[in-house]
Amino acid sequence: MIVSVFVKKGKDAIVEEDGVLIVHTDQPMEMNRANRDIIRQVAEYYHVGQDRVKILRGFKSRKKTLKVL
């Protein structure tokens, strides 16, 4: 499944609007910490392991495309 994600600053939360997941994270972008937190949250949201969530596009952007296996 391909998922569109928009990242916002804030406490851990996921809201779905118009087929896009809005993921809130308070982790800094340094050392890939924000991306790892986003993967963790999306994995929990879909009840899969973190190794089954991959970022396809948007490593350095607020708009990301993820693949959930």
Side-chain angles (χ1 to χ4, degrees):
M1 159 185 353
I2 304 296
V3 180
S4 295
V5 172
F6 187 77
V7 180
K8 288 189 174 182
K9 198 92 165 135
K11 258 323 203 188
D12 291 0
I14 294 181
V15 179
E16 188 170 355
E17 288 182 11
D18 300 324
V20 176
L21 291 182
I22 299 174
V23 180
H24 297 263
T25 183
D26 58 358
Q27 293 295 318
M29 293 186 302
E30 299 152 350
M31 298 185 64
N32 213 22
R33 289 174 61 189
N35 283 339
R36 284 185 283 170
D37 188 49
I38 291 162
I39 288 172
R40 178 189 61 79
Q41 288 188 60
V42 171
E44 287 177 7
Y45 184 80
Y46 285 109
H47 306 289
V48 297
Q50 291 182 30
D51 59 331
R52 298 187 59 128
V53 179
K54 307 287 183 213
I55 298 176
L56 298 178
R57 277 185 235 129
F59 290 97
K60 295 183 178 183
S61 172
R62 287 180 177 255
K63 289 182 174 180
K64 300 182 184 300
T65 302
L66 278 63
K67 183 174 186 177
V68 180
L69 304 172

